[in-house]
Amino acid sequence: MEGLTVLRLRGVWYRYPGGDWVLRGVSLEAPRGVTLLAGPTGGGKSTILRVAAGLATRIYGGELKGEVEALGKPMLVPQDYDLFILSLTPREELEYCFESSGLPPWEARREAVRLAEELGIEDLLDRRVSRLSAGERQRVAIASALALGAEVLLLDEPLAYQDPVGVGRLLGLLQRLELEGVVVAEHRVHYLLPIARSIYLVAEGRARPLGREEAGQVLAEVLEPGLGGVESCTRGCSKG
Ligand SMILES: Nc1ncnc2c1ncn2[C@@H]1O[C@H](COP(=O)(O)OP(=O)(O)OP(=O)(O)O)[C@@H](O)[C@H]1O
C-alpha cells in the first residue's frame, strides 16, 4: 500500500446471510486524515465500516469477496456504541482498555486521565455510564477505541447525538489525533466537508469518490433532493 493510503478496499462484495449483495464492488482508498462516507440511508456505509474492521463476516456471517487492507489496527465505533462500553464508569472503562492493550495498571490509570482530558470528558470519568447522555456515551466509546490502540478509527455516525459544542470538540479531536486515519460515515455532512481529505458518495452498494468542489453540491442533491444544491448545503444539508 502506498505511504499515504491507510485503508484500501478493492472490488469488495458483501452480503448478509440469506440476503442479496449489499456491497457491489466497492473500491476506495482512505488517505491519512479524515475520510467521509456519505450517502442515502441503506446505501452501505455501515457495512463498509464493518467490512473494513474485519467484523462483517465475524459478527453477521454472510459472504465477502475482494480485498481489504489497512495500515495499522482498524477499529469500529458502531452506531449502537453502547455495546462498546463494558464498564460501570468511564474511568474503569478506559483503564480496562489501556490494560487490555498492554499497559501496566499504574500507567493505565494515568493514561485514562490524559485521554479523558484530551477528549474533554474528564468530568465524566466517575459518573455511571448508564446515566450519561447519548452524546456523552458516544465520546466515551470513541475514547475506548483509542485506549484499545485504534490506528485507523472507523466511526459510524459519530455526530448523531452531539450538540453543537460536542460536534466542535469532536471535529477538533479528529483533526488533532495522531492516528493513521479516520473514516467517518455520517449524514450531517456539512460538518465534515471542511475537514475531510477524501470524500465518497456511498449509494446502492458502491462508493464513488467526489472532488472537493463538487462534493457539497452532489451530496446536497442526493441527501436533500429538491432543496437546491450548494445553497441548501451551506444552510445545513443534514439529515441527522
Ligand atoms: N445485520 C444486517 N442483516 C441484514 N441486512 C442488513 C444488516 N445490516 C444492514 N443490512 C442491509 O444492508 C444494506 C446497507 O445497510 P447499511 O446499514 O450498511 O447502510 P447505511 O448506508 O449505513 O445506512 P444508514 O445511513 O441508514 O445507517 C441495507 O439494505 C440494509 O437493510
PDB file of all heavy atoms in Angstrom, residues 1-10 28-30 32 68-72 152 180:
ATOM      1  N   MET A   1       0.845  -1.196   0.000  1.00  0.00           N
ATOM      2  CA  MET A   1       0.000   0.000   0.000  1.00  0.00           C
ATOM      3  C   MET A   1       0.890   1.261   0.000  1.00  0.00           C
ATOM      4  O   MET A   1       1.862   1.319   0.728  1.00  0.00           O
ATOM      5  CB  MET A   1      -0.863  -0.029   1.261  1.00  0.00           C
ATOM      6  CG  MET A   1      -2.132   0.690   1.103  1.00  0.00           C
ATOM      7  SD  MET A   1      -3.489   0.076   2.151  1.00  0.00           S
ATOM      8  CE  MET A   1      -2.786  -0.129   3.747  1.00  0.00           C
ATOM      9  N   GLU A   2       0.519   2.250  -0.823  1.00  0.00           N
ATOM     10  CA  GLU A   2       1.332   3.468  -0.851  1.00  0.00           C
ATOM     11  C   GLU A   2       1.279   4.158   0.514  1.00  0.00           C
ATOM     12  O   GLU A   2       0.302   4.024   1.235  1.00  0.00           O
ATOM     13  CB  GLU A   2       0.804   4.445  -1.914  1.00  0.00           C
ATOM     14  CG  GLU A   2       1.032   3.993  -3.324  1.00  0.00           C
ATOM     15  CD  GLU A   2      -0.224   3.403  -3.941  1.00  0.00           C
ATOM     16  OE1 GLU A   2      -1.250   4.103  -3.963  1.00  0.00           O
ATOM     17  OE2 GLU A   2      -0.173   2.245  -4.386  1.00  0.00           O
ATOM     18  N   GLY A   3       2.333   4.941   0.784  1.00  0.00           N
ATOM     19  CA  GLY A   3       2.500   5.536   2.102  1.00  0.00           C
ATOM     20  C   GLY A   3       1.309   6.315   2.616  1.00  0.00           C
ATOM     21  O   GLY A   3       1.025   6.300   3.792  1.00  0.00           O
ATOM     22  N   LEU A   4       0.594   6.978   1.712  1.00  0.00           N
ATOM     23  CA  LEU A   4      -0.451   7.872   2.183  1.00  0.00           C
ATOM     24  C   LEU A   4      -1.809   7.190   2.326  1.00  0.00           C
ATOM     25  O   LEU A   4      -2.742   7.780   2.844  1.00  0.00           O
ATOM     26  CB  LEU A   4      -0.581   9.072   1.239  1.00  0.00           C
ATOM     27  CG  LEU A   4       0.545  10.098   1.376  1.00  0.00           C
ATOM     28  CD1 LEU A   4       0.336  11.272   0.454  1.00  0.00           C
ATOM     29  CD2 LEU A   4       0.664  10.591   2.818  1.00  0.00           C
ATOM     30  N   THR A   5      -1.927   5.959   1.875  1.00  0.00           N
ATOM     31  CA  THR A   5      -3.211   5.260   1.983  1.00  0.00           C
ATOM     32  C   THR A   5      -3.231   4.438   3.263  1.00  0.00           C
ATOM     33  O   THR A   5      -2.349   3.624   3.499  1.00  0.00           O
ATOM     34  CB  THR A   5      -3.416   4.322   0.771  1.00  0.00           C
ATOM     35  OG1 THR A   5      -3.340   5.109  -0.410  1.00  0.00           O
ATOM     36  CG2 THR A   5      -4.763   3.635   0.836  1.00  0.00           C
ATOM     37  N   VAL A   6      -4.263   4.669   4.101  1.00  0.00           N
ATOM     38  CA  VAL A   6      -4.321   3.940   5.373  1.00  0.00           C
ATOM     39  C   VAL A   6      -5.356   2.822   5.342  1.00  0.00           C
ATOM     40  O   VAL A   6      -5.319   1.910   6.162  1.00  0.00           O
ATOM     41  CB  VAL A   6      -4.611   4.882   6.557  1.00  0.00           C
ATOM     42  CG1 VAL A   6      -3.509   5.908   6.692  1.00  0.00           C
ATOM     43  CG2 VAL A   6      -5.950   5.559   6.425  1.00  0.00           C
ATOM     44  N   LEU A   7      -6.283   2.919   4.401  1.00  0.00           N
ATOM     45  CA  LEU A   7      -7.284   1.856   4.261  1.00  0.00           C
ATOM     46  C   LEU A   7      -7.635   1.730   2.786  1.00  0.00           C
ATOM     47  O   LEU A   7      -7.877   2.741   2.115  1.00  0.00           O
ATOM     48  CB  LEU A   7      -8.549   2.232   5.055  1.00  0.00           C
ATOM     49  CG  LEU A   7      -9.710   1.248   4.921  1.00  0.00           C
ATOM     50  CD1 LEU A   7      -9.409  -0.039   5.683  1.00  0.00           C
ATOM     51  CD2 LEU A   7     -10.998   1.875   5.454  1.00  0.00           C
ATOM     52  N   ARG A   8      -7.625   0.492   2.317  1.00  0.00           N
ATOM     53  CA  ARG A   8      -7.964   0.286   0.908  1.00  0.00           C
ATOM     54  C   ARG A   8      -8.942  -0.876   0.772  1.00  0.00           C
ATOM     55  O   ARG A   8      -8.719  -1.951   1.333  1.00  0.00           O
ATOM     56  CB  ARG A   8      -6.707  -0.030   0.099  1.00  0.00           C
ATOM     57  CG  ARG A   8      -7.035  -0.462  -1.326  1.00  0.00           C
ATOM     58  CD  ARG A   8      -5.806  -0.805  -2.105  1.00  0.00           C
ATOM     59  NE  ARG A   8      -4.978   0.366  -2.278  1.00  0.00           N
ATOM     60  CZ  ARG A   8      -3.657   0.333  -2.397  1.00  0.00           C
ATOM     61  NH1 ARG A   8      -3.019  -0.818  -2.329  1.00  0.00           N
ATOM     62  NH2 ARG A   8      -2.973   1.441  -2.564  1.00  0.00           N
ATOM     63  N   LEU A   9     -10.030  -0.626   0.061  1.00  0.00           N
ATOM     64  CA  LEU A   9     -10.938  -1.699  -0.327  1.00  0.00           C
ATOM     65  C   LEU A   9     -10.882  -1.787  -1.841  1.00  0.00           C
ATOM     66  O   LEU A   9     -10.928  -0.747  -2.527  1.00  0.00           O
ATOM     67  CB  LEU A   9     -12.383  -1.402   0.098  1.00  0.00           C
ATOM     68  CG  LEU A   9     -12.791  -1.791   1.529  1.00  0.00           C
ATOM     69  CD1 LEU A   9     -12.037  -0.991   2.554  1.00  0.00           C
ATOM     70  CD2 LEU A   9     -14.291  -1.613   1.717  1.00  0.00           C
ATOM     71  N   ARG A  10     -10.772  -3.010  -2.328  1.00  0.00           N
ATOM     72  CA  ARG A  10     -10.688  -3.150  -3.779  1.00  0.00           C
ATOM     73  C   ARG A  10     -11.665  -4.237  -4.231  1.00  0.00           C
ATOM     74  O   ARG A  10     -11.555  -5.379  -3.818  1.00  0.00           O
ATOM     75  CB  ARG A  10      -9.253  -3.535  -4.170  1.00  0.00           C
ATOM     76  CG  ARG A  10      -8.981  -3.293  -5.637  1.00  0.00           C
ATOM     77  CD  ARG A  10      -7.544  -3.596  -5.969  1.00  0.00           C
ATOM     78  NE  ARG A  10      -6.654  -2.479  -5.722  1.00  0.00           N
ATOM     79  CZ  ARG A  10      -5.327  -2.586  -5.690  1.00  0.00           C
ATOM     80  NH1 ARG A  10      -4.759  -3.757  -5.853  1.00  0.00           N
ATOM     81  NH2 ARG A  10      -4.581  -1.528  -5.491  1.00  0.00           N
ATOM     82  N   LEU A  28     -12.258   1.737  -2.572  1.00  0.00           N
ATOM     83  CA  LEU A  28     -11.963   3.078  -2.040  1.00  0.00           C
ATOM     84  C   LEU A  28     -10.594   3.087  -1.388  1.00  0.00           C
ATOM     85  O   LEU A  28     -10.083   2.043  -0.967  1.00  0.00           O
ATOM     86  CB  LEU A  28     -13.044   3.556  -1.065  1.00  0.00           C
ATOM     87  CG  LEU A  28     -13.305   2.870   0.269  1.00  0.00           C
ATOM     88  CD1 LEU A  28     -12.321   3.317   1.339  1.00  0.00           C
ATOM     89  CD2 LEU A  28     -14.711   3.200   0.741  1.00  0.00           C
ATOM     90  N   GLU A  29     -10.018   4.267  -1.344  1.00  0.00           N
ATOM     91  CA  GLU A  29      -8.726   4.445  -0.693  1.00  0.00           C
ATOM     92  C   GLU A  29      -8.839   5.607   0.269  1.00  0.00           C
ATOM     93  O   GLU A  29      -9.139   6.722  -0.147  1.00  0.00           O
ATOM     94  CB  GLU A  29      -7.641   4.745  -1.734  1.00  0.00           C
ATOM     95  CG  GLU A  29      -7.402   3.592  -2.655  1.00  0.00           C
ATOM     96  CD  GLU A  29      -6.054   3.664  -3.365  1.00  0.00           C
ATOM     97  OE1 GLU A  29      -5.294   4.614  -3.100  1.00  0.00           O
ATOM     98  OE2 GLU A  29      -5.801   2.758  -4.160  1.00  0.00           O
ATOM     99  N   ALA A  30      -8.627   5.340   1.540  1.00  0.00           N
ATOM    100  CA  ALA A  30      -8.659   6.422   2.526  1.00  0.00           C
ATOM    101  C   ALA A  30      -7.229   6.865   2.797  1.00  0.00           C
ATOM    102  O   ALA A  30      -6.382   6.052   3.162  1.00  0.00           O
ATOM    103  CB  ALA A  30      -9.311   5.933   3.807  1.00  0.00           C
ATOM    104  N   ARG A  32      -4.316   9.364   4.858  1.00  0.00           N
ATOM    105  CA  ARG A  32      -4.180   9.859   6.230  1.00  0.00           C
ATOM    106  C   ARG A  32      -5.163  11.002   6.434  1.00  0.00           C
ATOM    107  O   ARG A  32      -5.486  11.698   5.488  1.00  0.00           O
ATOM    108  CB  ARG A  32      -2.771  10.390   6.456  1.00  0.00           C
ATOM    109  CG  ARG A  32      -1.787   9.312   6.762  1.00  0.00           C
ATOM    110  CD  ARG A  32      -0.405   9.882   6.957  1.00  0.00           C
ATOM    111  NE  ARG A  32       0.569   8.851   6.690  1.00  0.00           N
ATOM    112  CZ  ARG A  32       0.890   7.901   7.571  1.00  0.00           C
ATOM    113  NH1 ARG A  32       0.341   7.890   8.769  1.00  0.00           N
ATOM    114  NH2 ARG A  32       1.755   6.974   7.248  1.00  0.00           N
ATOM    115  N   VAL A  68      -9.348  -6.246   1.277  1.00  0.00           N
ATOM    116  CA  VAL A  68      -9.421  -5.195   2.306  1.00  0.00           C
ATOM    117  C   VAL A  68      -8.058  -5.123   2.970  1.00  0.00           C
ATOM    118  O   VAL A  68      -7.528  -6.140   3.427  1.00  0.00           O
ATOM    119  CB  VAL A  68     -10.474  -5.532   3.386  1.00  0.00           C
ATOM    120  CG1 VAL A  68     -10.556  -4.412   4.416  1.00  0.00           C
ATOM    121  CG2 VAL A  68     -11.833  -5.786   2.763  1.00  0.00           C
ATOM    122  N   GLU A  69      -7.500  -3.935   2.999  1.00  0.00           N
ATOM    123  CA  GLU A  69      -6.150  -3.789   3.552  1.00  0.00           C
ATOM    124  C   GLU A  69      -6.103  -2.511   4.392  1.00  0.00           C
ATOM    125  O   GLU A  69      -6.567  -1.462   3.948  1.00  0.00           O
ATOM    126  CB  GLU A  69      -5.182  -3.628   2.370  1.00  0.00           C
ATOM    127  CG  GLU A  69      -3.783  -4.080   2.628  1.00  0.00           C
ATOM    128  CD  GLU A  69      -2.909  -3.793   1.394  1.00  0.00           C
ATOM    129  OE1 GLU A  69      -3.454  -3.539   0.309  1.00  0.00           O
ATOM    130  OE2 GLU A  69      -1.699  -3.798   1.566  1.00  0.00           O
ATOM    131  N   ALA A  70      -5.603  -2.628   5.618  1.00  0.00           N
ATOM    132  CA  ALA A  70      -5.489  -1.430   6.464  1.00  0.00           C
ATOM    133  C   ALA A  70      -4.052  -1.279   6.933  1.00  0.00           C
ATOM    134  O   ALA A  70      -3.366  -2.272   7.191  1.00  0.00           O
ATOM    135  CB  ALA A  70      -6.408  -1.534   7.673  1.00  0.00           C
ATOM    136  N   LEU A  71      -3.640  -0.031   7.019  1.00  0.00           N
ATOM    137  CA  LEU A  71      -2.317   0.250   7.557  1.00  0.00           C
ATOM    138  C   LEU A  71      -2.526   0.483   9.045  1.00  0.00           C
ATOM    139  O   LEU A  71      -3.085   1.486   9.447  1.00  0.00           O
ATOM    140  CB  LEU A  71      -1.784   1.526   6.891  1.00  0.00           C
ATOM    141  CG  LEU A  71      -0.348   1.914   7.137  1.00  0.00           C
ATOM    142  CD1 LEU A  71       0.586   1.009   6.368  1.00  0.00           C
ATOM    143  CD2 LEU A  71      -0.141   3.372   6.683  1.00  0.00           C
ATOM    144  N   GLY A  72      -2.134  -0.453   9.874  1.00  0.00           N
ATOM    145  CA  GLY A  72      -2.395  -0.307  11.304  1.00  0.00           C
ATOM    146  C   GLY A  72      -3.707  -0.965  11.675  1.00  0.00           C
ATOM    147  O   GLY A  72      -4.394  -1.546  10.843  1.00  0.00           O
ATOM    148  N   VAL A 152      -6.502   3.026  12.815  1.00  0.00           N
ATOM    149  CA  VAL A 152      -7.433   3.532  11.804  1.00  0.00           C
ATOM    150  C   VAL A 152      -8.809   3.485  12.464  1.00  0.00           C
ATOM    151  O   VAL A 152      -9.355   2.415  12.709  1.00  0.00           O
ATOM    152  CB  VAL A 152      -7.408   2.668  10.527  1.00  0.00           C
ATOM    153  CG1 VAL A 152      -8.411   3.198   9.515  1.00  0.00           C
ATOM    154  CG2 VAL A 152      -6.002   2.642   9.934  1.00  0.00           C
ATOM    155  N   GLU A 180      -3.383   6.941  12.186  1.00  0.00           N
ATOM    156  CA  GLU A 180      -3.123   6.773  10.766  1.00  0.00           C
ATOM    157  C   GLU A 180      -4.239   7.430   9.959  1.00  0.00           C
ATOM    158  O   GLU A 180      -4.000   8.107   8.975  1.00  0.00           O
ATOM    159  CB  GLU A 180      -3.016   5.285  10.421  1.00  0.00           C
ATOM    160  CG  GLU A 180      -1.853   4.570  11.072  1.00  0.00           C
ATOM    161  CD  GLU A 180      -0.506   5.037  10.548  1.00  0.00           C
ATOM    162  OE1 GLU A 180      -0.459   5.782   9.565  1.00  0.00           O
ATOM    163  OE2 GLU A 180       0.510   4.661  11.147  1.00  0.00           O
TER     164      GLU A 180
END
